[in-house]
Amino acid sequence: MEYNPREIEQKWRRYWEDNHIYQVSNHSESPKFYVLDMFPYPSGAGLHVGHPLGYIASDIFSRYKRLSGYNVLHPMGYDSFGLPAEQYAISTGQHPAITTDENIATFRQQLDNLGLSYDWSREVRTSDPKYYKWTQWIFMQLFNHYYDQDADKALPIAQLTDHFAASGNAGIRAVCDDDTPRFSAADWNAMDEQAQQRLLLKYRLTFPEESFVNWCPAMGTVLSNDEVKDGVSERGGYPVERKLMKQWAMRITAYADRLIEGLKTLDWPESIKDQQTNWIGRSQGASLRFAVDGHPDKSIEVFTTRVDTIYGVTFMVLAPEHEYVAALTTDAQRADIEKYIKWTASRSDVDRMAEKRVTGAFTGSYAINPLNGKKVPVWIADYVLAGYGTGAVMAVPSGDQRDWNFAKYFNLPIIPILDAQQNTEEAADATKEGRYINSGIINGLNYAEATPKLIAWLEEHGLGKGKIQYRLRNAVFSRQRYWGEPVPVYWKNGLPYLIEVSELPLLLPQVDKYLPTETGEPPLGRAEGWLYQNKYPYELSTMPGWAGSSWYFYRYMDSQNDDAFCSPEAANYWRQVDLYLGGSEHAVGHLLYSRFWNHFLYDLGLAPEREYAKKLVNQGMIQGRSNLVYRAKECFFEEFLWIKVLQPLLSDMQPVQMAQNTLQETTTYDFSFSTNDLAIEVVSFKILDKIALKKGIAKSDGKRLLVLTIEELIADINQPEVIADKIRKAAASKEPYIISEGTPVYEYLFVSHDLTQKYTPECFTALHVDVNIVDDDVLDLEKAHKLNQFEKANFKLDAERKFLCSFEIEKMSKRWFNVVNPDDVVEKYGADCFRMYEMFLGPLEQAKPWNTKGIDGVSRFLRKFWAMFYDDKGRFLVTEDAPNRDELKVLHRTTKRVTEDIERLSFNTCVSAFMMATNDFRELKCSKRGVLEPLVVLIAPFAPHVADELWQALGHEGSIHASGKFPVCDESFLQEDVFNYPIAINGKTRVTIALPADAAKDSLEAAAKAAVEKWTDGQEIKKIIVIPGRMINIVV
RNA sequence: GCCGAAGUGGCGGAAUGGUAGACGCGCUGGAUUCAAAAUCCAGUAUUCGCAAGAAUGUGUGGGUUCGAGUCCCACCUUCGGUACCA
């Protein structure tokens, strides 16, 4: 019986489904294990071969854990709100819910094709009202809580109002907006309800806030930074303006320190932790104010992490957008400043980033150093960003290289401030070593002493204070879109109020179109009569994509619960994700926001652990391998004629190449001959005026003209002698003007890649070609001719009559024609083979290009594996004979390797181990149950279908995935009697000798000495290093 | 610019500081076949050599070590992330 993956795989997939093999219970005697894949967005394009890499890896791990006796939660669902479905809705009018359902069906079918062991009874979709009810519920909790810095956790707003009523906002440390005023209990109690509510918004963990957005009036929508290019929308090129808009925000900054602290407890890749730490960007320093000379009402606030360098300040720099720029600019400087501002405004962010030159302009005003009263000039420059900190910098050129560059360029003074600074005339030196000089009250102190002294002085004089600053901003939580969760809020008297919990979910209303309203309101503004209690307008923006994905890992634990987002019993059983697998592109988006929500839920006692994912692994991207074809330009044909026809075939006519460069191109023809009066011009038959021009030139030169059209050259491109004949005939004739008649068959020529090397690279245009009509870089010409791209094309083939493409490794994407669909591969080789091959490609974490070169090897392996059980006549080969020691050794060695490698997620080496075991058993001619049965269990996580088929053949009832027990290695079988010792001289291996494994060191030394006499002859042996069971090194 | 990762045969890759190149692809030769496919066997880092064998060899240059692909320093290249972050 032959190995027939198609039949086997369908059979077992149906069995698994019918018998609910992968359904998991929240009650078990076994230890739990939670394996999670990152939430996918079900895109219309479906899966490509890159997507399943992580799904297969997590599936292998889940199956392995299950076979090892764990109760494994391994769920899948969809982050199904999102822009693509909405954009499709805008262009077609189809409700995004329908599009989404269709896409999910495709996605699901493709996932099923891979034989993954998900518990589909727990599937969730963020766009399902039963799901987003709880997203809205969590939002309401955030609205009803504030962050108390003394308790270091979120507490109910009611506690805050109690405190306000008793003692105002003194004596409580709560995270709030920067502009929150001080007020007493009397103030608070005198406020009306509206004033109190307005004030509370400054404390709530989610709150409406005015913030700048990229508003595109033509599209009626807000764009992300990367949708804006050069001040216009990337798609459509419409103008984009900065607009202040009321948006919901999340006070994630309240959790900044805890989000940094929590990272220390996580088994996550360091690079991800680094990125999160940098994103949060905690810096400890001081904020202080510089008075402005002649402007008593103004002072420039700066934040610095090096307040100790304050005596080195020789100028100030404001961002060109800083609010004081206009006021500080003197009339003498106004023209300069305005010119500079105009210039910076015209430059894109990319330009500004790439800028290496120093630019800036002087305002004409001076700031006063609070420490020494010295006046320093105030400049503006675009290296200071308006959006960061205060948009102003105190410049210390002796300690900061950027400031130093600026000072040198504009000839500003540089004052050294530490005796340890080296050569500050040559470059800035940011050292903190040494003692302060030129530094007033801190002269002679060191860094550790100076900083607190300065901060104390500033605080005492009311000029500044110590401050911790974060780069992290509060997260905007509004989207001006339709396809997202409605915010459970209505507006009354300009203030937001929550709806009742009993009114959840607030359903997404129907709208006539998925576009903004004429007045610029979000699409929900179109919903008719959408009012709370028929009176109050609902919030019209919807939640962003990260809302639903910030807590989904809890919903899987208890996906059908209508009374809670997750019951405490379920949460306390599963607790946290043990292994989380996904791409590193989510490093600071999803992975930071979801940690924030989890910390909040933890504060409320709803999440059992501070961090929801214990271990995180990033799978590498599978890149596409694109193929390129080379289309010839006109100059190619000239070079071709010269290299392939005129020189080799017509040398007797002494050809001359006329136009050496494009300048002469219009004034002369391409070729002539020393032996006759013929001239040749190569040109497309379409360019009639050029032909006429050349005809005239030839005539005035007294030459006869042969026009070789590019189109006729293309037709004969693989037969240069035919072209040579044409030229000979033309030379022999007396005709003054010769040109081919008739309509050409071809218009384009593509040149095999190996031939392009002979020509100037500029002769070709490289174009992507669909990789599905290319095999091993050889283009399938038959298929190619059927494509529009090649309809009127001929191909110049290489010496082996093949057409070669070049290749490039790039992101797998439709636009590069390099997408490989897993369904096609599964159809050809089977899911088991596809799974093993994806793993065999290389380490999980590493990015690697997709190519199918090696897949035949894996396919061959599976057939060999099968052949240990069945011969080609379909006879079952497995015997009940007891395995011998050699056979058991192979089994246990394989068990050890596979177990260890799965544990460290090194799946590629597992596949190798299976190949080696199979080769070994075949060599031993072994088909004994005693070794093959455990081997089938070992391979079951990797090739689940064939494992089940063989499990059944071995006489078992039901599925291996339900009843199999993962084998355990018995080390005693691995012990060897003899060991082949490599004997090295000075670390270089010379010979290996077999010695008893338990031999004493002395006898090893003696044996080694004897074995290497040939090399050591006559040299003194200084030392012998013996590592028992490893090697012996002789030092001479 | 900064941060991070990685550089090993023709290719994908393997290697707790201890025989570099496992395993697979590809290629070469052979068997089988009327022939092909499939399958099986053997070989396959480079250079020299008929061979035995020798020399070289993990991006470059240093260092630590009896011994370095692996650890340390500097540099080069590629990829990823990120920013005028004060």
Side-chain angles (χ1 to χ4, degrees):
Chain A
M1 186 163 59
E2 249 187 46
Y3 171 51
N4 184 339
R6 201 168 309 172
E7 214 166 86
I8 292 172
E9 290 177 5
Q10 271 178 13
K11 167 182 162 186
W12 286 103
R13 244 174 259 154
R14 187 165 312 127
Y15 179 89
W16 298 336
E17 203 183 326
D18 292 348
N19 293 280
H20 310 290
I21 293 293
Y22 303 123
Q23 231 172 67
V24 56
S25 159
N26 283 358
H27 306 280
S28 170
E29 290 302 300
S30 313
K32 69 96 191 181
F33 202 88
Y34 187 177
V35 181
L36 184 62
D37 294 295
M38 277 186 197
F39 223 11
Y41 175 78
S43 94
L47 290 175
H48 64 62
V49 291
H51 293 114
L53 186 74
Y55 302 154
I56 295 168
S58 64
D59 192 63
I60 290 169
F61 204 82
S62 303
R63 288 177 184 276
Y64 158 72
K65 277 289 179 188
R66 203 174 289 126
L67 288 168
S68 305
Y70 286 82
N71 189 35
V72 178
L73 178 56
H74 184 39
M76 179 50 88
Y78 308 99
D79 190 8
S80 48
F81 276 129
L83 215 45
E86 177 153 336
Q87 266 154 1
Y88 190 73
I90 290 167
S91 60
T92 65
Q94 174 164 288
H95 196 282
I98 299 172
T99 315
T100 302
D101 280 352
E102 288 171 1
N103 290 351
I104 287 178
T106 310
F107 214 82
R108 172 67 189 274
Q109 186 270 323
Q110 288 188 297
L111 287 176
D112 282 348
N113 224 355
L114 302 173
L116 302 168
S117 64
Y118 293 122
D119 178 356
W120 285 107
S121 72
R122 293 171 184 257
E123 181 201 295
V124 302
R125 302 177 183 196
T126 53
S127 58
D128 180 348
K130 283 183 173 166
Y131 182 93
Y132 70 68
K133 171 184 176 178
W134 297 107
T135 311
Q136 292 171 334
W137 185 83
I138 294 170
F139 174 90
M140 292 168 79
Q141 306 311 306
L142 284 155
F143 187 83
N144 280 330
H145 284 79
Y146 76 102
Y147 198 86
D148 189 291
Q149 287 170 295
D150 291 317
D152 206 15
K153 64 187 281 199
L155 292 175
I157 283 285
Q159 286 193 25
L160 191 66
T161 51
D162 286 352
H163 186 98
F164 288 169
S167 41
N169 66 354
I172 190 161
R173 295 204 308 128
V175 177
C176 58
D177 291 353
D178 283 342
D179 62 357
T180 309
R182 293 245 169 123
F183 58 87
S184 65
D187 294 337
W188 171 260
N189 293 322
M191 288 179 202
D192 63 9
E193 146 84 9
Q194 284 189 35
Q196 289 185 342
Q197 286 302 326
R198 197 162 294 124
L199 197 54
L200 285 176
L201 290 177
K202 294 180 180 298
Y203 289 87
R204 296 183 188 276
L205 287 177
T206 183
F207 57 100
E209 174 188 57
E210 297 258 295
S211 57
F212 277 108
V213 293
N214 298 313
W215 175 250
C216 179
M219 298 167 85
T221 191
V222 175
L223 300 175
S224 71
N225 279 332
D226 59 19
E227 286 174 303
V228 183
K229 291 267 142 67
D230 299 324
V232 297
S233 64
E234 191 179 27
R235 302 202 306 172
Y238 305 111
V240 175
E241 56 193 53
R242 304 269 290 163
K243 185 181 167 188
L244 209 51
M245 191 180 257
K246 186 158 274 188
Q247 305 250 64
W248 283 88
M250 290 273 164
R251 217 179 284 282
I252 187 174
T253 48
Y255 284 86
D257 276 330
R258 276 172 61 183
L259 289 171
I260 293 174
E261 281 304 304
L263 289 173
K264 292 177 187 148
T265 66
L266 292 176
D267 182 5
W268 286 19
E270 285 306 314
S271 56
I272 295 279
K273 295 204 240 179
D274 286 350
Q275 281 182 62
Q276 293 209 350
T277 308
N278 294 339
W279 188 266
I280 295 167
R282 184 183 200 271
S283 50
Q284 190 152 13
S287 87
L288 59 150
R289 298 185 158 273
F290 280 61
V292 186
D293 192 31
H295 293 269
D297 57 322
K298 292 194 164 51
S299 63
I300 300 168
E301 188 178 358
V302 298
F303 174 79
T304 176
T305 53
R306 287 295 302 273
V307 68
D308 60 301
T309 63
I310 188 148
Y311 287 96
V313 174
T314 58
F315 58 101
M316 309 262 317
V317 187
L318 307 185
E321 299 88 347
H322 195 280
E323 54 169 331
Y324 286 176
V325 171
L328 297 195
T329 303
T330 58
D331 290 339
Q333 299 298 323
R334 195 163 307 277
D336 270 6
I337 291 284
E338 279 171 2
K339 199 172 132 200
Y340 185 71
I341 291 175
K342 205 172 164 193
W343 179 70
T344 54
S346 74
R347 284 153 56 85
S348 72
D349 285 357
V350 179
D351 290 339
R352 282 196 184 192
M353 272 188 254
E355 184 58 71
K356 295 277 178 278
R357 287 175 299 166
V358 177
T359 64
F362 178 43
T363 62
S365 289
Y366 291 84
I368 297 165
N369 188 328
L371 268 295
N372 57 11
K374 257 169 98 172
K375 285 189 201 172
V376 294
V378 179
W379 288 66
I380 64 170
D382 66 357
Y383 79 87
V384 176
L385 293 183
Y388 186 76
T390 61
V393 177
M394 57 174 231
V396 184
S398 65
D400 183 289
Q401 191 57 43
R402 225 173 25 224
D403 295 345
W404 188 93
N405 293 345
F406 197 86
K408 273 284 165 193
Y409 189 82
F410 289 111
N411 210 14
L412 295 158
I414 297 167
I415 304 175
I417 36 136
L418 279 158
D419 57 10
Q421 277 177 326
Q422 309 274 329
N423 228 348
T424 54
E425 280 305 309
E426 295 302 313
D429 184 349
T431 184
K432 294 174 183 173
E433 304 290 314
R435 304 265 163 192
Y436 291 90
I437 52 171
N438 303 324
S439 292
I441 62 168
I442 55 168
N443 269 333
L445 303 183
N446 66 23
Y447 176 77
E449 295 158 351
T451 304
K453 181 164 182 179
L454 284 168
I455 289 172
W457 189 92
L458 286 168
E459 283 177 359
E460 196 180 307
H461 291 80
L463 289 166
K465 57 179 195 282
K467 192 179 173 186
I468 291 164
Q469 177 136 319
Y470 300 95
R471 176 185 177 276
L472 184 72
R473 312 255 69 114
N474 282 328
V476 176
F477 197 68
S478 288
R479 298 292 181 262
Q480 277 60 47
R481 308 281 186 192
Y482 176 75
W483 193 228
E485 299 88 344
V487 178
V489 159
Y490 65 92
W491 291 82
K492 187 165 94 181
N493 300 322
L495 285 167
Y497 291 90
L498 295 178
I499 65 171
E500 298 296 319
V501 168
S502 60
E503 292 163 329
L504 291 177
L506 174 60
L507 293 173
L508 197 53
Q510 295 295 326
V511 292
D512 57 340
K513 273 195 267 182
Y514 304 96
L515 288 170
T517 65
E518 282 68 28
T519 53
E521 303 263 72
L524 291 189
R526 293 178 174 273
E528 274 182 46
W530 201 50
L531 297 168
Y532 184 64
Q533 294 173 345
N534 287 318
K535 275 192 282 204
Y536 306 110
Y538 282 113
E539 167 65 43
L540 296 181
S541 66
T542 51
M543 298 187 194
W546 57 268
S549 61
S550 287
W551 68 280
Y552 74 110
F553 29 88
Y554 287 116
R555 193 62 183 166
Y556 285 134
M557 297 175 181
D558 198 8
S559 64
Q560 307 305 317
N561 194 332
D562 286 328
D563 303 319
F565 74 94
C566 175
S567 70
E569 297 76 41
N572 283 322
Y573 177 69
W574 293 110
R575 300 199 73 79
Q576 66 182 153
V577 176
D578 294 285
L579 178 65
Y580 196 17
L581 231 96
S584 55
E585 67 271 21
H586 301 293
V588 287
H590 161 61
L591 288 173
L592 194 63
Y593 294 135
S594 54
R595 289 183 59 225
F596 157 49
W597 277 36
N598 188 68
H599 275 266
F600 172 70
L601 293 172
Y602 176 82
D603 288 351
L604 271 54
L606 300 170
E609 302 278 350
R610 280 177 179 267
E611 297 291 343
Y612 72 89
K614 196 190 277 180
K615 182 181 170 77
L616 173 77
V617 173
N618 288 129
Q619 91 263 16
M621 189 177 32
I622 290 201
Q623 295 151 313
R625 190 175 186 281
S626 309
N627 278 113
L628 298 160
V629 290
Y630 292 83
R631 194 172 68 196
K633 297 185 198 168
E634 184 180 315
C635 67
F636 164 80
F637 295 97
E638 292 163 14
E639 288 192 19
F640 166 77
L641 204 62
W642 183 244
I643 298 171
K644 287 291 176 187
V645 181
L646 295 173
Q647 287 189 111
L649 301 176
L650 299 168
S651 58
D652 53 321
M653 290 165 68
Q654 296 182 25
V656 180
Q657 192 167 19
M658 303 296 288
Q660 291 297 327
N661 61 50
T662 45
L663 284 178
Q664 292 173 357
E665 182 65 353
T666 49
T667 60
T668 182
Y669 27 78
D670 294 319
F671 303 101
S672 64
F673 297 94
S674 306
T675 56
N676 61 49
D677 61 349
L678 191 70
I680 300 178
E681 176 64 20
V682 176
V683 64
S684 167
F685 86 108
K686 290 178 193 159
I687 311 175
L688 295 169
D689 47 347
K690 189 171 173 188
I691 297 176
L693 176 76
K694 301 290 164 146
K695 199 172 165 184
I697 294 169
K699 198 172 179 184
S700 62
D701 282 358
K703 296 273 189 186
R704 295 186 299 114
L705 184 69
L706 168 65
V707 173
L708 285 171
T709 64
I710 287 175
E711 290 77 8
E712 65 178 311
L713 289 175
I714 294 175
D716 293 326
I717 201 77
N718 291 314
Q719 299 143 284
E721 39 324 313
V722 173
I723 300 167
D725 269 348
K726 272 189 194 172
I727 297 170
R728 277 195 205 97
K729 267 188 205 143
S733 81
K734 297 282 177 254
E735 295 289 324
Y737 174 64
I738 306 148
I739 184 163
S740 302
E741 301 293 325
T743 319
V745 184
Y746 300 111
E747 286 187 20
Y748 301 108
L749 177 73
F750 291 87
V751 179
S752 183
H753 180 241
D754 46 340
L755 302 178
T756 60
Q757 330 293 348
K758 295 176 186 158
Y759 301 89
T760 322
E762 286 74 41
C763 289
F764 304 100
T765 311
L767 300 167
H768 279 82
V769 61
D770 189 343
V771 294
N772 294 298
I773 62 164
V774 180
D775 184 28
D776 201 11
D777 293 339
V778 177
L779 184 70
D780 185 325
L781 292 171
E782 207 171 300
K783 287 180 187 160
H785 276 300
K786 289 181 188 149
L787 297 181
N788 282 343
Q789 191 183 1
F790 300 117
E791 208 190 344
K792 291 186 173 172
N794 196 12
F795 297 89
K796 180 155 174 57
L797 308 176
D798 66 11
E800 292 166 40
R801 312 290 297 165
K802 280 181 180 167
F803 187 89
L804 289 181
C805 308
S806 71
F807 71 91
E808 209 150 312
I809 304 300
E810 50 201 353
K811 206 176 143 166
M812 204 171 269
S813 150
K814 262 188 178 172
R815 68 192 278 221
W816 304 129
F817 301 108
N818 61 1
V819 174
V820 183
N821 184 326
D823 296 348
D824 299 343
V825 185
V826 169
E827 172 67 22
K828 190 167 173 199
Y829 293 96
D832 285 335
C833 180
F834 178 74
R835 289 167 61 104
M836 293 195 94
Y837 182 60
E838 283 237 346
M839 293 301 104
F840 191 55
L841 274 175
L844 181 63
E845 294 92 337
Q846 210 166 288
K848 54 222 156 221
W850 173 259
N851 78 65
T852 42
K853 267 190 175 174
I855 196 166
D856 289 309
V858 176
S859 176
R860 228 168 274 166
F861 154 73
L862 279 168
R863 286 199 296 268
K864 285 188 202 169
F865 189 82
W866 179 266
M868 292 193 291
F869 296 79
Y870 287 103
D871 70 10
D872 51 7
K873 305 260 174 356
R875 285 177 297 226
F876 193 56
L877 301 173
V878 178
T879 66
E880 301 298 324
D881 303 344
N884 63 33
R885 207 184 147 79
D886 283 343
E887 292 157 353
L888 287 168
K889 196 159 100 187
V890 172
L891 172 70
H892 285 276
R893 197 173 54 208
T894 306
T895 305
K896 185 183 161 96
R897 265 195 78 173
V898 170
T899 309
E900 286 174 359
D901 289 354
I902 291 179
E903 287 285 352
R904 60 189 180 105
L905 305 174
S906 171
F907 300 119
N908 53 329
T909 50
C910 291
V911 179
S912 298
F914 289 126
M915 289 174 169
M916 284 157 83
T918 306
N919 291 343
D920 289 345
F921 283 137
R922 281 160 62 87
E923 199 155 313
L924 293 164
K925 300 210 177 351
C926 168
S927 282
K928 297 172 182 167
R929 173 187 294 273
V931 289
L932 290 190
E933 195 167 285
L935 192 65
V936 168
V937 186
L938 279 176
I939 208 172
F942 296 83
H945 311 86
V946 72
D948 245 341
E949 181 69 17
L950 295 172
W951 186 248
Q952 190 183 49
L954 287 164
H956 295 279
E957 284 290 322
S959 170
I960 192 170
H961 306 290
S963 57
K965 293 273 172 289
F966 207 75
V968 177
C969 167
D970 182 343
E971 296 271 353
S972 67
F973 288 103
L974 304 183
Q975 254 129 59
E976 304 268 0
D977 299 335
V978 291
F979 180 81
N980 282 321
Y981 274 93
I983 315 295
I985 297 168
N986 292 341
K988 182 156 188 65
T989 306
R990 289 292 171 182
V991 68
T992 57
I993 51 172
L995 293 166
D998 55 356
K1001 255 190 163 181
D1002 295 354
S1003 60
L1004 288 175
E1005 272 189 30
K1009 259 193 222 174
V1012 296
E1013 254 170 28
K1014 183 175 154 194
W1015 291 278
T1016 56
D1017 192 29
Q1019 294 180 79
E1020 183 199 350
I1021 294 177
K1022 287 189 184 151
K1023 199 172 173 187
I1024 300 183
I1025 290 134
V1026 179
I1027 318 284
R1030 276 278 180 217
M1031 52 96 67
I1032 298 164
N1033 190 17
I1034 294 167
V1035 187
V1036 298

